Amino acid sequence: MTTADTLLTIETILDAFATAGRVLPRAALEQAADRWSEIGPALLATLEAASDGADRSDRTNAILFFGVYLMAQVRETRAFRPLCTLATDGERIFRLIGDGVTEDLSLILTRIYDGSPAPLRMLIEAANADEYARNAALDALAWLTATWRLDRDETARYLGDLYMTLRPQHECYVWVGWQRAIAHLGFDELA
């Protein structure tokens, strides 16, 4: 029987994520996705502990690197709020998913969106958060609006209000996300 055929325990899956290094833990990833009802609660608890600052260990970061992508794959909406909170810590989110902040975070947020724009807005408005994470949140906001998961008029009002309230008011990459959201949604009145 190969490792792929062996039923792994939750702890074995988490250990595989924690110790993977540069080797993709394929069997652990497949089983975690297939057995999400069993594995999901452990990964969510890990994300919540990281989000509230209770666990900042390298082990947790390694587990969550794979865990965050799995949560997006299975559209785990319970991960939305803690991930938005964690993403306000720029150093932490980059340690967690690295270049995924600029490449994947907007898609991850879109896939795990729980129906409430408040956590997304919190990340967008977090002046001390990483500008690229904030940009990703604006991209997610635009996508959620374009796919009718957020009210178009409400998003237009929100983006209009951000013109005066978004900090910093000087050059910052978050403004690229703001402009891109307006352009993608065709809000000519905000041009």
Side-chain angles (χ1 to χ4, degrees):
M1 183 176 263
T2 66
T3 304
D5 297 329
T6 304
L7 193 62
L8 303 174
T9 66
I10 293 171
E11 194 55 41
T12 303
I13 290 171
L14 297 178
D15 284 343
F17 293 170
T19 60
R22 294 182 174 264
V23 178
L24 187 67
R26 197 171 305 276
L29 286 166
E30 289 172 1
Q31 286 195 31
D34 291 344
R35 298 170 43 213
W36 187 253
S37 62
E38 297 171 60
I39 309 301
L43 286 171
L44 283 165
T46 303
L47 177 62
E48 289 167 0
S51 173
D52 67 18
D55 187 347
R56 301 176 78 69
S57 69
D58 289 339
R59 175 180 169 78
T60 293
N61 290 342
I63 290 169
L64 287 178
F65 174 79
F66 295 104
V68 165
Y69 283 95
L70 277 168
M71 290 177 207
Q73 178 182 338
V74 300
R75 296 182 183 269
E76 179 55 73
T77 58
R78 294 174 292 178
F80 183 67
R81 292 168 193 266
L83 185 59
C84 285
T85 299
L86 192 142
T88 63
D89 181 342
E91 179 183 322
R92 188 73 193 275
I93 194 68
F94 269 97
R95 279 197 336 222
L96 217 64
I97 61 173
D99 288 344
V101 172
T102 56
E103 301 296 322
D104 305 320
L105 185 57
S106 62
L107 178 60
I108 291 167
L109 293 171
T110 301
R111 290 183 65 94
I112 64 173
Y113 178 65
D114 70 357
S116 173
L120 199 58
R121 289 179 175 184
M122 175 205 56
L123 175 54
I124 290 166
E125 296 169 21
N128 294 326
D130 177 77
E131 61 190 314
Y132 298 103
R134 297 171 72 197
N135 175 71
L138 279 159
D139 285 347
L141 178 87
W143 181 254
L144 291 166
T145 302
T147 57
W148 303 103
R149 293 173 67 195
L150 285 173
D151 181 75
R152 193 170 164 76
D153 293 333
E154 183 180 327
T155 298
R157 278 190 299 279
Y158 177 65
L159 291 171
D161 291 345
L162 284 179
Y163 181 73
M164 297 302 293
T165 62
L166 192 64
R167 299 288 179 253
Q169 283 284 302
H170 55 80
E171 187 175 318
C172 179
Y173 200 75
V174 71
W175 288 105
V176 172
W178 179 82
Q179 291 171 338
R180 194 170 40 237
I182 290 167
H184 286 321
L185 294 169
F187 291 147
D188 294 338
E189 67 277 14
L190 296 176

